[in-house]
Amino acid sequence: MFKGTAEELRARQEQAHELAKQATALLDQIDALGLGGSAGQLHTPGGIIRNRPGQGWTVATR
């Protein structure tokens, strides 16, 4: 469990969101290889990473 300040928590949440956005870029690159469709979503501290047909992977905040 996180035991820092509210400011530290916000900073870490922002960092987690940025990392989740980087993950979407990697997932789009994997899908572009054309080896089969990806489906679903990933729940992360940075938000929910979802595969949107025709739009690629996106990050949604909770």
Side-chain angles (χ1 to χ4, degrees), residues 1-44:
M1 168 144 285
F2 181 75
K3 296 185 184 214
T5 66
E7 184 178 307
E8 291 170 327
L9 177 60
R10 280 189 297 278
R12 289 183 183 198
Q13 287 172 328
E14 184 177 319
Q15 183 180 15
H17 184 77
E18 290 301 315
L19 291 170
K21 289 194 316 188
Q22 290 177 28
T24 64
L26 291 172
L27 290 166
D28 283 336
Q29 290 176 38
I30 291 169
D31 285 349
L33 295 173
L35 299 175
S38 300
Q41 59 187 8
L42 304 167
H43 292 260
T44 73

